[in-house]
Amino acid sequence: MREMAFRSDREFMPYDVVIVGAGPSGLSAAIKIKQLNSELNVCVLEKGSEVGSHLLSGAVFEPRALNELIPDWKEKEAPLKVPVTSDAFYFMTKKLSVRLPTPPQMKNHNNYIISLGIFARWLALQAEQLGVEIFPGFAAAEVLYNEDGSVAGIATGDMGIGKDGEKTENYAAGMEIHARQTIFAEGCRGSCSKEIISKFELDKDSEPQTYGLGVKEIWEVKPENHNEGHAIHTIGWPLDTKTYGGSWLYHMGDNKVSVGFVVGLDYENPTLSPFEEMQRFKHHPKIAKVLEGGRRISYGARTLVEGGFQSLPKLTFPGGVLVGDSAGFLNVAKIKGNHTAMKSGMLAAEAVVELLASEEAGNEATSYTDKYKDSWVYRELHGVRNIRPGFKKGLFAGLINAAKETYLSGSKKTLSHHADHGATKPLSAVEPIEYPKPDNKLSFDRLSSVFLAGTFHEENQPAHLKLKDEKVAIDVNYKEFGSPETKYCPAGVYEILEEGEGGPKLQINAQNCIHCKACDIKDPKQNINWTTPEGAGGPNYGEM
């Protein structure tokens, strides 16, 4: 019997398995566990106010893993209602759009345009019908460890802590969830997953992870501008040829379109703003003719893992496993990760059930790694492993490399990645980017956008965005890099106050945070640490 962690002022609940995160990977793991052994007690913790409220994806969905997990999903009325009817891939200049052949990985025959949040809520219903307990509004704030160093579960955060760190009259101690196995399914750059990867050195044999920041809006457009099922992807303008990124425009149902822009966070220019690039992009004639006369109804942003095969950390550790984007299973060449995330959760579930049956719950579910290496996920990620790093030398070199990898069976050598924050150049080495003012018809400012994200945090709680050294924010970020956090943050969280005593100061408007995690990734000196806020704080995405 393992010695469990316990804090005397907190209640605890024991489970066989606790899953951190109610996204596609976590919910798929929960469902698969109950399918394999209905007697196991499984709970899922979700930091959003409801399942799906923190999920954001394009999203064109490949149902391969869903077909395996729930073969009768159509009879169970899964919310996959809009099949992709046509694809188009364009290279953009400022005024023109040149249609290119759609890369094989990006062809979407038999795929669906979906809302990931709505899909997750449907998955949650399937899990609950099998006996899984799901607790939205409870964020995993702390990893618990046994005396032998293995993971013992998680604890939710204490409530009612004021900005000064003192307990308020509304203070309530968090809850400890003890588990024989813990599955981390937090998504990209999860705070607990980051701790686990560091503590157990799970990435010591991996390439550095690389990320992109995706900014997304949903528009209700004129019926005559709508083409249900049509999917567009673009590269080129408004980015320069040295910066990795691209866009999508998906025609959903009900005269709605999903439009988004992704920028690789290994960009060099500290004055670049992914949010502003998205706003510029919507003015391209190809995109504007779809959106003009329409109404923007939703906004959000999220980082995504782009490192792929060579950046995956070790997947297991004593007491638990990593699944989905907590590990980095996105197929960036396909611009898809939900199917691979789901399959990773299913493979982990199989390994965890086998481990628990052997009564060695404190050990590592090492068969998960073997199952992954024997799966279609491994083959899929391995086959495209060199496409993303091929763009390090620019757009055109990347396209040539991608064609070689796709049509000439690729290279036997695996290309490397570099850490995104290290790619940022000092302000003195770049030409600052000047962005046009929003017209409030196609383009908008950040604060009005954040309003559409429905983000909310209790104002009296301590800021969940923490500086390791406050001096670095001015002495390095401001003086050397021009405060890039004020540019890359898509929610206006970071602000430089030039006036007042003591010179410039960095103000952190943590209540605006939409949990994209860009600051945790891109800060030049890795000085910003994203931690879990209290309760159900953050965005409230409806159908994003």
Side-chain angles (χ1 to χ4, degrees), residues 426-457:
L427 187 60
S428 60
V430 303
E431 182 177 345
I433 302 172
E434 296 290 336
Y435 290 104
K437 292 183 178 180
D439 67 356
N440 295 316
K441 295 178 181 178
L442 291 177
S443 51
F444 304 88
D445 63 26
R446 278 184 279 193
L447 292 184
S448 65
S449 300
V450 171
F451 176 79
L452 290 179
T455 194
F456 175 80
H457 297 87

Side-chain angles (χ1 to χ4, degrees), residues 263-277:
V263 178
L265 288 179
D266 58 347
Y267 64 81
E268 297 179 347
N269 193 326
T271 69
L272 187 149
S273 165
F275 173 86
E276 297 291 355
E277 297 294 341

Side-chain angles (χ1 to χ4, degrees), residues 353-408:
V353 169
E354 292 169 4
L355 180 65
L356 294 180
S358 70
E359 297 185 352
E360 297 179 347
N363 293 341
E364 294 184 34
T366 52
S367 66
Y368 171 33
T369 302
D370 296 332
K371 291 175 186 294
Y372 155 64
K373 290 182 177 180
D374 194 39
S375 73
W376 54 260
V377 175
Y378 180 95
R379 295 187 291 274
E380 183 175 311
L381 295 184
H382 183 269
V384 300
R385 69 194 186 283
N386 287 331
I387 290 182
R388 174 62 179 93
F391 284 88
K392 285 192 295 185
K393 295 182 179 180
L395 174 62
F396 299 114
L399 290 174
I400 293 170
N401 176 73
K404 182 188 73 173
E405 292 289 327
T406 300
Y407 297 106
L408 300 178

Side-chain angles (χ1 to χ4, degrees), residues 21-79:
S25 62
L27 291 170
S28 296
I31 290 169
K32 191 65 177 179
I33 289 171
K34 297 297 279 189
Q35 288 174 341
L36 295 171
N37 186 342
S38 61
E39 299 302 314
L40 291 175
N41 296 317
V42 181
C43 85
V44 179
L45 298 183
E46 167 54 44
K47 68 182 177 69
S49 60
E50 64 174 335
V51 172
S53 65
H54 285 182
L55 290 178
L56 185 148
S57 183
V60 170
F61 180 77
E62 180 178 313
R64 183 173 186 175
L66 180 61
N67 290 336
E68 298 176 13
L69 182 66
I70 307 174
D72 58 345
W73 57 265
K74 290 185 179 179
E75 289 76 13
K76 292 184 176 179
E77 299 183 334

